[in-house]
Amino acid sequence: MEIAAKYGLLLLAGVLAGVINTLAGSGSLLTLPALIFFGLPANVANGTSRVGVVLQNIVATASFQRSGSLDLRGALLLSIPSILGSILGAQIAVNLDEQMMQRVIGAVMVVMLLVMLLRPERWLQGKLLALPSGPLALRDIVSMFFIGVYGGFIQAGVGIFVLATLVLSVGYDLVRANAVKVLIILVFTISSLLVFANNAQVDWGAGVLLGVGNMIGAAWAARMAATKGAAWVRWVVLATVAASAVYLLLPH
């Protein structure tokens, strides 16, 4: 019964993360501590969380492609530097010991807590910028590389950095930026997941279960009114991240 309850809670965490990723973002800030509470070492939890992200973003990418919102060529071009960065970031992550990884995850959660409190998405509201043309700017290539490093190292909260770069620097409008973001994260998450898997830091059973929850949550959240649900979800994320950061940073 205890084992069944643990798997049930992990599935629920995946569902909540799927909802949060759709309405507010930063769902990985729930799945990382959920996997750690589930009993996985912090480094294995960091690798395993990528399985759910991949499954969720496959569904989301297919949906954006069907709706005609996805700039496939632009997304693939921008994915190239992020893939290279993610491989480097994942390689750094797999070489950290478990205690250090817990502290790093806790510190990142504190930073993301501040980012969410400042609500950086306000910078993006109402921006309808022209689509990019011509070769990619050097600043965008460099930005996507370092975002890839961060995403490969720790997935949590990477989406908001990708979205901000796509809108404020590359020049996509919000709808197209969100579609491109999903594919970029999907691609560089696959590359980083391969690094973690090659270093035996992925629990595939827990990851697939989490991914099923992610997909269920995303499908459900897509039917909800984002403006009504996002405020409530944001407070859930803030409370969870704060509690998780305290748990990970305090000695135990």
Side-chain angles (χ1 to χ4, degrees):
M1 181 66 181
E2 181 182 348
I3 296 177
K6 287 173 65 176
Y7 277 98
L9 289 174
L10 186 60
L11 179 64
L12 177 60
V15 173
L16 289 174
V19 173
I20 290 167
N21 278 332
T22 303
L23 294 178
S26 300
S28 294
L29 293 172
L30 281 180
T31 58
L32 273 173
L35 287 165
I36 292 171
F37 296 153
F38 181 72
L40 299 184
N43 52 357
V44 177
N46 190 26
T48 302
S49 68
R50 319 302 171 107
V51 179
V53 174
V54 168
L55 293 177
Q56 177 182 300
N57 283 11
I58 286 174
V59 172
T61 297
S63 177
F64 282 123
Q65 179 69 8
R66 286 194 300 268
S67 70
S69 301
L70 178 61
D71 175 15
L72 185 60
R73 177 180 175 275
L76 292 176
L77 284 175
L78 289 163
S79 294
I80 295 172
S82 69
I83 290 171
L84 298 175
S86 71
I87 293 171
L88 174 60
Q91 197 60 57
I92 294 171
V94 298
N95 290 323
L96 289 180
D97 63 38
E98 181 181 347
Q99 186 177 26
M100 179 62 70
M101 179 58 68
Q102 285 203 9
R103 290 175 179 173
V104 169
I105 293 174
V108 169
M109 286 184 176
V110 172
V111 173
M112 292 308 301
L113 186 66
L114 296 175
V115 171
M116 285 187 290
L117 285 171
L118 294 174
R119 300 190 64 182
E121 74 278 4
R122 288 179 177 175
W123 307 339
L124 310 178
Q125 291 174 354
K127 300 287 186 182
L128 296 173
L129 305 180
L131 296 178
S133 60
L136 295 176
L138 179 60
R139 69 175 183 276
D140 298 329
I141 295 174
V142 173
S143 294
M144 294 310 301
F145 174 79
F146 282 107
I147 286 173
V149 172
Y150 174 81
F153 183 71
I154 271 189
Q155 190 79 26
V158 71
I160 193 149
F161 298 125
V162 177
L163 189 60
T165 298
L166 293 176
V167 173
L168 300 178
S169 181
V170 178
Y172 283 109
D173 63 78
L174 277 174
V175 173
R176 195 167 296 269
N178 200 41
V180 171
K181 175 201 74 175
V182 167
L183 180 54
I184 290 173
I185 292 177
L186 169 62
V187 173
F188 77 62
T189 301
I190 291 174
S191 62
S192 63
L193 177 60
L194 292 175
V195 175
F196 284 102
N198 188 54
N199 287 271
Q201 293 188 8
V202 176
D203 184 318
W204 291 102
V208 170
L209 181 61
L210 192 67
V212 170
N214 285 158
M215 292 187 289
I216 293 172
W220 178 52
R223 298 183 179 90
M224 297 172 63
T227 54
K228 180 179 180 181
W232 177 81
V233 170
R234 183 169 298 280
W235 285 111
V236 173
V237 176
L238 289 171
T240 304
V241 172
S244 300
V246 170
Y247 173 83
L248 290 169
L249 291 174
L250 288 179
H252 58 275

PDB file of all heavy atoms in Angstrom, residues 115-136:
ATOM      1  N   VAL A 115      12.472  35.161  -8.974  1.00  0.00           N
ATOM      2  CA  VAL A 115      12.055  35.479 -10.347  1.00  0.00           C
ATOM      3  C   VAL A 115      10.539  35.441 -10.473  1.00  0.00           C
ATOM      4  O   VAL A 115       9.917  36.333 -11.065  1.00  0.00           O
ATOM      5  CB  VAL A 115      12.696  34.494 -11.346  1.00  0.00           C
ATOM      6  CG1 VAL A 115      12.100  34.669 -12.741  1.00  0.00           C
ATOM      7  CG2 VAL A 115      14.204  34.708 -11.405  1.00  0.00           C
ATOM      8  N   MET A 116       9.920  34.424  -9.887  1.00  0.00           N
ATOM      9  CA  MET A 116       8.463  34.309  -9.979  1.00  0.00           C
ATOM     10  C   MET A 116       7.766  35.401  -9.182  1.00  0.00           C
ATOM     11  O   MET A 116       6.705  35.890  -9.576  1.00  0.00           O
ATOM     12  CB  MET A 116       8.017  32.931  -9.507  1.00  0.00           C
ATOM     13  CG  MET A 116       8.313  31.831 -10.512  1.00  0.00           C
ATOM     14  SD  MET A 116       7.617  30.231 -10.033  1.00  0.00           S
ATOM     15  CE  MET A 116       8.645  29.817  -8.632  1.00  0.00           C
ATOM     16  N   LEU A 117       8.341  35.791  -8.053  1.00  0.00           N
ATOM     17  CA  LEU A 117       7.742  36.869  -7.267  1.00  0.00           C
ATOM     18  C   LEU A 117       7.784  38.193  -8.030  1.00  0.00           C
ATOM     19  O   LEU A 117       6.885  39.022  -7.924  1.00  0.00           O
ATOM     20  CB  LEU A 117       8.470  37.006  -5.920  1.00  0.00           C
ATOM     21  CG  LEU A 117       8.159  35.921  -4.885  1.00  0.00           C
ATOM     22  CD1 LEU A 117       9.100  36.035  -3.698  1.00  0.00           C
ATOM     23  CD2 LEU A 117       6.707  36.039  -4.426  1.00  0.00           C
ATOM     24  N   LEU A 118       8.847  38.391  -8.800  1.00  0.00           N
ATOM     25  CA  LEU A 118       8.959  39.609  -9.603  1.00  0.00           C
ATOM     26  C   LEU A 118       8.097  39.550 -10.852  1.00  0.00           C
ATOM     27  O   LEU A 118       7.927  40.565 -11.531  1.00  0.00           O
ATOM     28  CB  LEU A 118      10.430  39.829 -10.000  1.00  0.00           C
ATOM     29  CG  LEU A 118      11.373  40.132  -8.835  1.00  0.00           C
ATOM     30  CD1 LEU A 118      12.821  40.174  -9.331  1.00  0.00           C
ATOM     31  CD2 LEU A 118      11.011  41.454  -8.170  1.00  0.00           C
ATOM     32  N   ARG A 119       7.560  38.377 -11.179  1.00  0.00           N
ATOM     33  CA  ARG A 119       6.666  38.175 -12.318  1.00  0.00           C
ATOM     34  C   ARG A 119       7.255  38.738 -13.610  1.00  0.00           C
ATOM     35  O   ARG A 119       6.710  39.679 -14.197  1.00  0.00           O
ATOM     36  CB  ARG A 119       5.295  38.784 -12.041  1.00  0.00           C
ATOM     37  CG  ARG A 119       4.594  38.191 -10.838  1.00  0.00           C
ATOM     38  CD  ARG A 119       3.161  38.653 -10.744  1.00  0.00           C
ATOM     39  NE  ARG A 119       2.389  38.174 -11.880  1.00  0.00           N
ATOM     40  CZ  ARG A 119       1.093  38.471 -12.073  1.00  0.00           C
ATOM     41  NH1 ARG A 119       0.470  39.245 -11.220  1.00  0.00           N
ATOM     42  NH2 ARG A 119       0.454  38.004 -13.121  1.00  0.00           N
ATOM     43  N   PRO A 120       8.330  38.149 -14.099  1.00  0.00           N
ATOM     44  CA  PRO A 120       8.953  38.655 -15.315  1.00  0.00           C
ATOM     45  C   PRO A 120       8.075  38.512 -16.557  1.00  0.00           C
ATOM     46  O   PRO A 120       8.359  39.127 -17.576  1.00  0.00           O
ATOM     47  CB  PRO A 120      10.212  37.785 -15.443  1.00  0.00           C
ATOM     48  CG  PRO A 120       9.878  36.543 -14.713  1.00  0.00           C
ATOM     49  CD  PRO A 120       9.019  36.971 -13.563  1.00  0.00           C
ATOM     50  N   GLU A 121       7.010  37.710 -16.473  1.00  0.00           N
ATOM     51  CA  GLU A 121       6.144  37.591 -17.648  1.00  0.00           C
ATOM     52  C   GLU A 121       5.484  38.922 -18.006  1.00  0.00           C
ATOM     53  O   GLU A 121       5.010  39.100 -19.129  1.00  0.00           O
ATOM     54  CB  GLU A 121       5.079  36.509 -17.421  1.00  0.00           C
ATOM     55  CG  GLU A 121       3.948  36.892 -16.463  1.00  0.00           C
ATOM     56  CD  GLU A 121       4.319  36.715 -14.993  1.00  0.00           C
ATOM     57  OE1 GLU A 121       5.489  36.367 -14.711  1.00  0.00           O
ATOM     58  OE2 GLU A 121       3.452  36.919 -14.139  1.00  0.00           O
ATOM     59  N   ARG A 122       5.468  39.886 -17.089  1.00  0.00           N
ATOM     60  CA  ARG A 122       4.926  41.209 -17.413  1.00  0.00           C
ATOM     61  C   ARG A 122       5.715  41.866 -18.544  1.00  0.00           C
ATOM     62  O   ARG A 122       5.179  42.686 -19.297  1.00  0.00           O
ATOM     63  CB  ARG A 122       4.962  42.111 -16.176  1.00  0.00           C
ATOM     64  CG  ARG A 122       3.941  41.729 -15.109  1.00  0.00           C
ATOM     65  CD  ARG A 122       4.048  42.646 -13.906  1.00  0.00           C
ATOM     66  NE  ARG A 122       3.037  42.348 -12.916  1.00  0.00           N
ATOM     67  CZ  ARG A 122       2.963  42.942 -11.727  1.00  0.00           C
ATOM     68  NH1 ARG A 122       3.853  43.870 -11.396  1.00  0.00           N
ATOM     69  NH2 ARG A 122       2.010  42.624 -10.876  1.00  0.00           N
ATOM     70  N   TRP A 123       6.993  41.507 -18.635  1.00  0.00           N
ATOM     71  CA  TRP A 123       7.810  42.092 -19.698  1.00  0.00           C
ATOM     72  C   TRP A 123       7.328  41.616 -21.066  1.00  0.00           C
ATOM     73  O   TRP A 123       7.600  42.247 -22.080  1.00  0.00           O
ATOM     74  CB  TRP A 123       9.268  41.659 -19.540  1.00  0.00           C
ATOM     75  CG  TRP A 123       9.835  41.926 -18.198  1.00  0.00           C
ATOM     76  CD1 TRP A 123       9.400  42.821 -17.266  1.00  0.00           C
ATOM     77  CD2 TRP A 123      10.964  41.267 -17.611  1.00  0.00           C
ATOM     78  NE1 TRP A 123      10.180  42.763 -16.145  1.00  0.00           N
ATOM     79  CE2 TRP A 123      11.147  41.822 -16.331  1.00  0.00           C
ATOM     80  CE3 TRP A 123      11.825  40.278 -18.057  1.00  0.00           C
ATOM     81  CZ2 TRP A 123      12.167  41.403 -15.490  1.00  0.00           C
ATOM     82  CZ3 TRP A 123      12.845  39.859 -17.215  1.00  0.00           C
ATOM     83  CH2 TRP A 123      13.003  40.424 -15.941  1.00  0.00           C
ATOM     84  N   LEU A 124       6.610  40.487 -21.076  1.00  0.00           N
ATOM     85  CA  LEU A 124       6.247  39.855 -22.346  1.00  0.00           C
ATOM     86  C   LEU A 124       4.828  40.178 -22.787  1.00  0.00           C
ATOM     87  O   LEU A 124       4.477  39.964 -23.933  1.00  0.00           O
ATOM     88  CB  LEU A 124       6.385  38.324 -22.226  1.00  0.00           C
ATOM     89  CG  LEU A 124       7.716  37.807 -21.659  1.00  0.00           C
ATOM     90  CD1 LEU A 124       7.689  36.292 -21.565  1.00  0.00           C
ATOM     91  CD2 LEU A 124       8.888  38.268 -22.508  1.00  0.00           C
ATOM     92  N   GLN A 125       4.001  40.655 -21.899  1.00  0.00           N
ATOM     93  CA  GLN A 125       2.605  40.881 -22.241  1.00  0.00           C
ATOM     94  C   GLN A 125       2.467  41.990 -23.277  1.00  0.00           C
ATOM     95  O   GLN A 125       3.064  43.048 -23.174  1.00  0.00           O
ATOM     96  CB  GLN A 125       1.802  41.238 -20.982  1.00  0.00           C
ATOM     97  CG  GLN A 125       1.652  40.050 -20.028  1.00  0.00           C
ATOM     98  CD  GLN A 125       0.991  40.421 -18.726  1.00  0.00           C
ATOM     99  OE1 GLN A 125       0.733  41.596 -18.466  1.00  0.00           O
ATOM    100  NE2 GLN A 125       0.705  39.426 -17.913  1.00  0.00           N
ATOM    101  N   GLY A 126       1.637  41.720 -24.288  1.00  0.00           N
ATOM    102  CA  GLY A 126       1.338  42.721 -25.301  1.00  0.00           C
ATOM    103  C   GLY A 126       2.408  42.905 -26.348  1.00  0.00           C
ATOM    104  O   GLY A 126       2.283  43.778 -27.192  1.00  0.00           O
ATOM    105  N   LYS A 127       3.472  42.103 -26.315  1.00  0.00           N
ATOM    106  CA  LYS A 127       4.529  42.218 -27.314  1.00  0.00           C
ATOM    107  C   LYS A 127       4.145  41.429 -28.562  1.00  0.00           C
ATOM    108  O   LYS A 127       3.991  40.214 -28.523  1.00  0.00           O
ATOM    109  CB  LYS A 127       5.855  41.673 -26.756  1.00  0.00           C
ATOM    110  CG  LYS A 127       6.338  42.406 -25.524  1.00  0.00           C
ATOM    111  CD  LYS A 127       6.865  43.795 -25.873  1.00  0.00           C
ATOM    112  CE  LYS A 127       7.484  44.460 -24.653  1.00  0.00           C
ATOM    113  NZ  LYS A 127       7.960  45.807 -24.935  1.00  0.00           N
ATOM    114  N   LEU A 128       3.998  42.110 -29.687  1.00  0.00           N
ATOM    115  CA  LEU A 128       3.710  41.471 -30.959  1.00  0.00           C
ATOM    116  C   LEU A 128       4.783  41.905 -31.942  1.00  0.00           C
ATOM    117  O   LEU A 128       4.568  42.786 -32.779  1.00  0.00           O
ATOM    118  CB  LEU A 128       2.309  41.858 -31.457  1.00  0.00           C
ATOM    119  CG  LEU A 128       1.147  41.388 -30.587  1.00  0.00           C
ATOM    120  CD1 LEU A 128      -0.170  41.967 -31.082  1.00  0.00           C
ATOM    121  CD2 LEU A 128       1.073  39.874 -30.562  1.00  0.00           C
ATOM    122  N   LEU A 129       5.953  41.307 -31.806  1.00  0.00           N
ATOM    123  CA  LEU A 129       7.101  41.719 -32.592  1.00  0.00           C
ATOM    124  C   LEU A 129       7.154  40.972 -33.911  1.00  0.00           C
ATOM    125  O   LEU A 129       6.606  39.892 -34.055  1.00  0.00           O
ATOM    126  CB  LEU A 129       8.393  41.477 -31.800  1.00  0.00           C
ATOM    127  CG  LEU A 129       8.446  42.128 -30.419  1.00  0.00           C
ATOM    128  CD1 LEU A 129       9.752  41.817 -29.730  1.00  0.00           C
ATOM    129  CD2 LEU A 129       8.249  43.633 -30.528  1.00  0.00           C
ATOM    130  N   ALA A 130       7.839  41.572 -34.891  1.00  0.00           N
ATOM    131  CA  ALA A 130       7.974  40.947 -36.197  1.00  0.00           C
ATOM    132  C   ALA A 130       8.789  39.670 -36.103  1.00  0.00           C
ATOM    133  O   ALA A 130       9.686  39.554 -35.272  1.00  0.00           O
ATOM    134  CB  ALA A 130       8.641  41.922 -37.172  1.00  0.00           C
ATOM    135  N   LEU A 131       8.482  38.729 -36.948  1.00  0.00           N
ATOM    136  CA  LEU A 131       9.241  37.489 -36.988  1.00  0.00           C
ATOM    137  C   LEU A 131      10.654  37.755 -37.489  1.00  0.00           C
ATOM    138  O   LEU A 131      10.872  38.638 -38.319  1.00  0.00           O
ATOM    139  CB  LEU A 131       8.549  36.482 -37.909  1.00  0.00           C
ATOM    140  CG  LEU A 131       7.156  36.024 -37.470  1.00  0.00           C
ATOM    141  CD1 LEU A 131       6.578  35.075 -38.497  1.00  0.00           C
ATOM    142  CD2 LEU A 131       7.212  35.355 -36.113  1.00  0.00           C
ATOM    143  N   PRO A 132      11.619  37.012 -37.002  1.00  0.00           N
ATOM    144  CA  PRO A 132      13.005  37.254 -37.411  1.00  0.00           C
ATOM    145  C   PRO A 132      13.235  36.902 -38.875  1.00  0.00           C
ATOM    146  O   PRO A 132      12.590  36.020 -39.422  1.00  0.00           O
ATOM    147  CB  PRO A 132      13.799  36.319 -36.494  1.00  0.00           C
ATOM    148  CG  PRO A 132      12.835  35.234 -36.153  1.00  0.00           C
ATOM    149  CD  PRO A 132      11.489  35.883 -36.073  1.00  0.00           C
ATOM    150  N   SER A 133      14.147  37.597 -39.502  1.00  0.00           N
ATOM    151  CA  SER A 133      14.514  37.301 -40.888  1.00  0.00           C
ATOM    152  C   SER A 133      16.035  37.357 -41.007  1.00  0.00           C
ATOM    153  O   SER A 133      16.697  38.037 -40.232  1.00  0.00           O
ATOM    154  CB  SER A 133      13.876  38.308 -41.848  1.00  0.00           C
ATOM    155  OG  SER A 133      14.306  39.619 -41.558  1.00  0.00           O
ATOM    156  N   GLY A 134      16.578  36.636 -41.978  1.00  0.00           N
ATOM    157  CA  GLY A 134      18.025  36.633 -42.152  1.00  0.00           C
ATOM    158  C   GLY A 134      18.711  35.738 -41.134  1.00  0.00           C
ATOM    159  O   GLY A 134      18.073  34.987 -40.396  1.00  0.00           O
ATOM    160  N   PRO A 135      20.040  35.807 -41.069  1.00  0.00           N
ATOM    161  CA  PRO A 135      20.805  34.951 -40.148  1.00  0.00           C
ATOM    162  C   PRO A 135      20.549  35.334 -38.697  1.00  0.00           C
ATOM    163  O   PRO A 135      20.168  36.471 -38.391  1.00  0.00           O
ATOM    164  CB  PRO A 135      22.262  35.215 -40.548  1.00  0.00           C
ATOM    165  CG  PRO A 135      22.240  36.572 -41.171  1.00  0.00           C
ATOM    166  CD  PRO A 135      20.920  36.684 -41.870  1.00  0.00           C
ATOM    167  N   LEU A 136      20.771  34.375 -37.817  1.00  0.00           N
ATOM    168  CA  LEU A 136      20.600  34.628 -36.391  1.00  0.00           C
ATOM    169  C   LEU A 136      21.662  35.595 -35.895  1.00  0.00           C
ATOM    170  O   LEU A 136      22.820  35.534 -36.303  1.00  0.00           O
ATOM    171  CB  LEU A 136      20.705  33.316 -35.607  1.00  0.00           C
ATOM    172  CG  LEU A 136      19.627  32.262 -35.853  1.00  0.00           C
ATOM    173  CD1 LEU A 136      19.956  31.005 -35.067  1.00  0.00           C
ATOM    174  CD2 LEU A 136      18.253  32.794 -35.488  1.00  0.00           C
TER     175      LEU A 136
END
